[in-house]
Structure formats: C-alpha cells, structure tokens
Amino acid sequence: MSSTYSSSTFKGIGFMCLGVFCLALGDAITKWLGEVHSPLQIIFFRTLVSLPLIALIARFNGGLRTLTTRRPGVHLLRGLIFSGTMICFMWGLTLLPLAETTAIAFAAPLFVTLLSVPLLGERVDGPTLAATLLGFLGVLVVIRPGGASFQPGALVVVGAAVFYALTMLTARRYGDREHLWAMVFYTTLVPLAVSAMTLPWVWQTPAPLHWPAFLVAGVLGVGAMTGLTLAFRYAPAALVAPFDYTALLWAVGLGWWFWGEVPDLWVFVGGTMIIASGLAIAHHERRTTLKRRPTA
C-alpha cells in the first residue's frame, strides 16, 4: 500500500507541474493578446476553443455520458469561481509585467494550504506551514514590497489568487464524486457563458495573427485544467499546491523570450526559496505519511 500511495502522490505532483506549464505559456499568449483585446473577449475565445476539445476527449474516454452530473449547482459554483479567477488574472496581466503578475499569484498555494484545514478538514502541521510561509517570503523577495508590483493592479491579481485557491480546493473536495471530464467541461462552460454576455460591450475584431493565438491559448487551457484537476484528485491539496511555484521558472523564461525581460538577482533568490519550500513540503509530507502507516 505504501508504494501505491507513493505512486499516486507523485502522479499528482507531475500533473500539477504539467498543468502549470500550460498555464504559464497560455498566460504569455494572453498577455500579448491583452495588448489589443479585452480580458473578457480573450476568455470567450479561449473557452470557445476549449469546450469542444473537452467534449471530444470525453467522447473517447468513457463517452459523452461522462459529462452528465447530478450536482449542477456544484459545477455552477466552480464555474463562477473560475470565472473570477480568469477575469482577475487576465486583467492583471494587462496591468503588470508577466513576472510580477506570476509572483503575486503565488499567494494562491498559501491560501490553499491555509483554507484546506477549515474547508477540507486536512491537517497542516508546523513544518508544512513553515515551509509554505517560506515560499510566501520568497514571493515577497521577488516582488519587493514598495516596488512597482504594489499598485492597484496587484490587488486584482491577489483577488485572482484567492479565486484560484478556491477552484483548486473544490476540485479536491468534489473530484472523487464527479467524473473528471464533467468537472472540466462545466468549469469551462460557465466562463464561456459569462464572457459571451459581455461581448457587445468589449468586442474588438481580431487581426489575422490573433486567430491562431486564440486557438493555441484554448488548447493550453484544456491541458492546464486537466492537469490541475488530476493533481488534486491524486494527492492532498497541501502537498501538490506548492508545485504551482514552478510557474516562476516558466515566467522567467517566457518573459525573456517574448519581451526581453531579464530578472535581477532577487528574482532568482526568491525563486530558490519558493522552489525549496515546495520540495521541503513534498519531502516532509511523504515521510510523515510513511511513518503513520502500519509496517505489518
């Protein structure tokens, strides 16, 4: 049983890292599109592309019956929460540089760790909490209080972090009761409906080069949501959440690639603290779990 648990745990970590990579690349594309288009219009096209892909994947992984549900209220709630995540984060991308936006969004795993106790009944011991706080301090090193990231736009990204944490926690709370593709499908359908209602006020005709960008962003959205949902199905929220910090590495690379951004020394110092906190939590949780299991 010990080896089975270990395999499940590392599957969760792997899916989290994959989902985060898809998110990071999608964020870079979104920031570029956001120079011209409203965040709501970007959400519309991303979800419009994602939804049929999700249905197609479900069709070949259990059939469309996997999209049925007896908990429409739960899916509506998750969809609305995720709509808040997308709106706030994409808006934040238009207000702040990519690296700063990503750094502030790293508050989400801290919220997950703290909220997993009252909302999921999970236990977070002292070492886990200390390591999580170390990661948050790493975020502060990256953004440096009093710097440009502490603008009104930063508060928008903090709001996205809270919504994102709630989205991840609901995936953990209801993931065992609903089929994966039903959760992904309805969490995408609701933002599509919300953003579609705003189009008459925010519409901007895309340039030819923007159409494939919307397509790629939509595909990445499917990969991200699938990875994150599977991550919280395979492993506890407090364990996999810190691996969201790997987005910092992708943000640095993508920021340099697309905009020529070269992070200073403090970004690397803070990033090291953040990654160290995630690895420390994973190691501590694994050792604690193995100690609690019977040897015979």
Side-chain angles (χ1 to χ4, degrees), residues 123-212:
R123 296 182 59 186
V124 179
D125 57 19
T128 299
L129 182 59
T132 303
L133 292 177
L134 173 64
F136 183 69
L137 288 175
V139 174
L140 294 180
V141 170
V142 173
I143 65 176
R144 294 184 296 282
S149 58
F150 284 91
Q151 303 175 25
L155 299 179
V156 175
V157 184
V158 170
V162 174
F163 282 124
Y164 182 50
L166 292 173
T167 301
M168 292 190 287
L169 287 170
T170 54
R172 179 66 179 171
R173 176 68 174 82
Y174 299 104
D176 293 335
R177 306 179 187 182
E178 290 289 307
H179 196 279
L180 165 65
W181 296 112
M183 296 187 69
V184 176
F185 183 84
Y186 294 111
T187 306
T188 305
L189 176 62
V190 175
L192 173 61
V194 170
S195 60
M197 291 186 291
T198 69
L199 287 182
W201 294 275
V202 301
W203 177 261
Q204 176 71 33
T205 302
L209 189 58
H210 292 163
W211 292 108

Side-chain angles (χ1 to χ4, degrees), residues 244-258:
D244 188 35
Y245 291 137
T246 58
L248 179 60
L249 300 177
W250 298 118
V252 171
L254 292 170
W256 171 79
W257 180 267
F258 285 105

